[in-house]
Amino acid sequence: MRLSFPERFVWGTATAAYQIEGAVAEDGRTPSIWDTFSHTPGKILAGDTGDVATDHYHRSDADVDLMAELGVSSYRFSVSWSRVIPNGTGPVNPKGIDFYSRLVDRLLANGISPAVTLYHWDLPQEMQDAGGWTSRDTSSRFAEYAAVVAGELGDRVGMWITLNEPWCSAFLGYAGGVHAPGHANGAEALAATHHLLLGHGLAVGELRSVLPSSAQIAITLNPAMARPASRSEPDVAACHKIDGLQNRVWLDPLFHARYPDDVIAFTSDFCDWEFVRDGDLATISSPFDVLGVNYYNPVIVRHHEGAPAAARHDGHGNTTGNVWPGCDDTEFVDPPGRHTSMGWPVDATGLHELLVRLWTDYRKPMMITENGAAYEDVVSPDGEVHDDERLRYIHEHLLAVHDALNDGIDVRGYYLWSLLDNFEWSYGYSKRFGIVHVNFDTQLRTPKDSARFYAEVMKTNGVAAL
Ligand code: FCB
């Protein structure tokens, strides 16, 4: 039996600028924090950098053609801030704008609707030198940049995502030290949290004033599907803390114009939240249209007491700093069962459960803006990539989305991460998430079996029941 999706369901693929573009010093682009971080010895596996990546900057025409062949109806990509406004603030770089403008035109000519992410972690280095997201000024500079891009592309782009996974920017970047800028300071992470949210709110205001009223404005979060390891009171309390830092500290200000009291309390050793000024929460809670949800796996949390240090199977590798300020009494447990090559557990029930929770608590139309899996792909002697495990992962997660639709939850689309194998942040090129294989020596693209599977899903607007 084939299960069908709603008529106007959006089927897409997703990428991000630094992970695919390369051409880091071309046509006026200046370095971002990811250029600096990836060129810092020891930060990225095997010393990989995004200098060339998938060379998409020079191959975007062919990559769009590839998507057209697959039958993709929407493409989510991010704009590199320092390509468009070198140094982060000041004059606009026409060549930078031109690249994205041509990309948008080619997408539209192929019947693919563009979905723009304005910030997928690549802060201009000069903004970082001025304090990065710990500085309130960065929020305003981000809103200015959002207005510039919207002014240039807004006549042709209908879907706008302000930030991608700001939790990662704040906590992996400023507390855990595993993402750029590589700081290990809980206080900075909490200030960054507020300034990212403020930047989002200010950007929503700018986007509304520049874009036609039909434009859809979104923010993409990576909410944790956090499950307590047991029903014991300490485990449930530990899980609630993780839920606080990864979910409610973002969702509550966005939807209810307040920060959760418990998060303010358990982070009080790090800061007193004095960076929140009058009026900020009203700005942050400016209405937006769609909640973007990135989902990969659930996490299991339990109470932790004393030494030795807590287990951190939270999917973010070995961090130099503590990703979870104020949460020393929590730990993450690795569940049994299938795992991807990231070491992330495979459990599609988490996606369904997450959508139910978000819908129950916040009632906003949602898009899955990322979902996918990394596996150790091999090119077979027949020249093909038979990525059965990825195919199965995608299949199961599409069924989970279908379950949510059956529950009456307003899910409007699904963007597969990712179109291409690419630069997977601190893991460099060692982790392949693409439905299209990339040979990083020759830049040859080879659609994997999962790409053919997804093409069939998109063509039939449906998926077989398992
Ligand atoms: C998400 C990121 C994306 C990609 C996937 C695997 O956290 O948004 O860029 O790295 O994980």
Side-chain angles (χ1 to χ4, degrees), residues 3 49 93 111 153 202 222 236 300 321 363 375 407 415 456:
L3 304 170
T49 73
N93 173 23
L153 307 180
L202 293 169
N222 56 325
V236 171
I300 317 284
R363 279 279 133 167
Y375 285 105
D407 293 339
Y415 290 85
E456 187 65 17

Side-chain angles (χ1 to χ4, degrees), residues 334-399:
D334 193 23
R338 288 151 59 205
H339 287 70
T340 69
S341 74
M342 295 292 283
W344 297 348
V346 178
D347 185 349
T349 65
L351 176 54
H352 180 214
E353 209 173 308
L354 179 64
L355 293 171
V356 171
R357 187 266 173 107
L358 293 171
W359 183 246
T360 308
D361 289 356
Y362 302 100
R363 279 279 133 167
K364 188 58 103 183
M366 290 180 276
M367 290 260 198
I368 310 300
T369 39
E370 282 180 32
N371 175 241
Y375 285 105
E376 311 281 333
D377 298 319
V378 283
V379 182
S380 299
D382 62 3
E384 307 277 341
V385 180
H386 303 300
D387 56 340
D388 302 350
E389 289 184 292
R390 179 177 297 100
L391 193 156
R392 181 170 166 207
Y393 178 100
I394 297 167
H395 196 160
E396 290 171 353
H397 286 76
L398 291 178
L399 291 175

Side-chain angles (χ1 to χ4, degrees), residues 246-374:
Q246 195 156 350
N247 300 335
R248 291 175 291 113
V249 83
W250 307 99
L251 292 159
D252 287 7
L254 286 168
F255 287 99
H256 303 315
R258 60 173 157 72
Y259 282 108
D261 291 339
D262 63 316
V263 174
I264 292 178
F266 75 67
T267 56
S268 61
D269 284 351
F270 294 87
C271 69
D272 56 9
W273 293 74
E274 44 66 42
F275 40 72
V276 183
R277 302 214 187 136
D278 283 355
D280 285 1
L281 285 158
T283 303
I284 291 170
S285 59
S286 305
F288 59 96
D289 304 301
V290 176
L291 178 62
V293 176
N294 291 357
Y295 173 85
Y296 290 91
N297 57 274
V299 289
I300 317 284
V301 186
R302 74 176 170 215
H303 176 73
H304 170 78
E305 209 137 351
R312 284 281 175 241
H313 292 291
D314 58 359
H316 305 299
N318 292 325
T319 55
T320 47
N322 179 6
V323 178
W324 304 95
C327 297
D328 290 349
D329 53 351
T330 69
E331 74 177 347
F332 292 79
V333 186
D334 193 23
R338 288 151 59 205
H339 287 70
T340 69
S341 74
M342 295 292 283
W344 297 348
V346 178
D347 185 349
T349 65
L351 176 54
H352 180 214
E353 209 173 308
L354 179 64
L355 293 171
V356 171
R357 187 266 173 107
L358 293 171
W359 183 246
T360 308
D361 289 356
Y362 302 100
R363 279 279 133 167
K364 188 58 103 183
M366 290 180 276
M367 290 260 198
I368 310 300
T369 39
E370 282 180 32
N371 175 241

Side-chain angles (χ1 to χ4, degrees), residues 23-63:
V24 291
E26 256 173 77
D27 294 338
R29 182 187 180 279
T30 62
S32 78
I33 53 175
W34 269 96
D35 295 274
T36 309
F37 190 68
S38 67
H39 280 270
T40 308
K43 297 297 183 193
I44 312 291
L45 211 68
D48 289 342
T49 73
D51 288 2
V52 177
T54 70
D55 196 31
H56 171 77
Y57 191 73
H58 301 116
R59 293 166 195 262
S60 59
D61 285 359
D63 287 341

